[in-house]
Amino acid sequence: MDPNAPPGKETRGSPSMWSRALLLGLLLVGLALLASSDTFQSLLRRVLDAAAPVISAHPFWGAVLFVLLSALSAMLAFFSSALLLPVALDAWGKSVCALLLWAGWMLGGACAYGIARAWGRPILRRLTSPRLLAHYEERISRHASFGLVLLFQLAVPSEIPGYVLGLARYGLRRYLLVLALAELPYAVGTVYLGASFLEQRITVLLGLGAAGILFGVAAFHLLRKRLGP
């Protein structure tokens, strides 16, 4: 969830803040429709029932796999671990699932930072948008304040900050603290969103989803004001 992209007029070819919010809103409505469908829920329950014995037989490796896939979703724009969330919730419950998801996103962010710091731009062209990278690299330096970097991590897609801050050689300990603070609310929100989907609590699903979208829009608006045109 990865739950906010910069305006198109700033980086050509990228969706605007409002068009992304609209897309997320449509996805939220689609989730609500699926959650309210007894046919879909029945199919999902069969998948969960089939996955349960496998995870019960290999609980450690199942958790490791979920963390690694979550880490990949924090590093690659085209990859998401969202499809595994119902399985993880069914296997481990909300608290453990949120912890594993947070750990995975922390690992992914740290790996993105390390890749950018060790190998630089050539390899990043294959992992993320060069235009987004250049756009933020011009505005976020190693001397950026803690508050600005935290806002940056909250406001933009999760695969961007690690690469930008690694290139900028921002302090590792400060970055890990920023990462931990920023990803925790998103991990908890994502897990409760997934739980409300499984439990067919449509009102809670729509409320949490709308709150997440508004939070992302507000964070990006504040970031844009801080960074200037």
Side-chain angles (χ1 to χ4, degrees), residues 1 66 85 89 93-102 105 185-198 208:
M1 0 193 284
F66 181 71
L85 191 59
L89 277 166
K94 296 186 186 77
S95 298
V96 174
C97 186
L99 183 61
L100 293 175
L101 188 62
W102 182 59
W105 288 349
Y186 279 126
V188 173
T190 299
V191 164
Y192 274 88
L193 191 72
S196 64
F197 177 83
L198 285 178
L208 283 173

Side-chain angles (χ1 to χ4, degrees), residues 28 193 204-216:
L28 179 61
L193 191 72
V204 176
L205 174 68
L206 291 173
L208 283 173
I213 293 170
L214 290 174
F215 180 80

Side-chain angles (χ1 to χ4, degrees), residues 3-5 13 33 51 61 67 182 196:
N4 22 18
L33 291 174
W61 292 113
V67 168
S196 64

Side-chain angles (χ1 to χ4, degrees), residues 11-82:
T11 52
R12 191 183 312 164
S14 298
S16 72
M17 174 177 64
W18 294 112
S19 64
R20 184 174 176 83
L22 177 60
L23 176 60
L24 289 173
L26 292 174
L27 288 174
L28 179 61
V29 171
L31 277 178
L33 291 174
L34 287 175
S36 62
S37 168
D38 290 334
T39 301
F40 179 83
Q41 289 287 338
S42 176
L43 177 62
L44 180 59
R45 177 43 57 188
R46 287 184 209 166
V47 172
L48 296 179
D49 289 343
V54 178
I55 294 179
S56 296
H58 308 282
F60 175 77
W61 292 113
V64 169
L65 179 62
F66 181 71
V67 168
L68 291 177
L69 291 175
S70 299
L72 279 178
S73 74
M75 297 171 64
L76 304 174
F78 54 83
F79 183 82
S80 174
S81 58

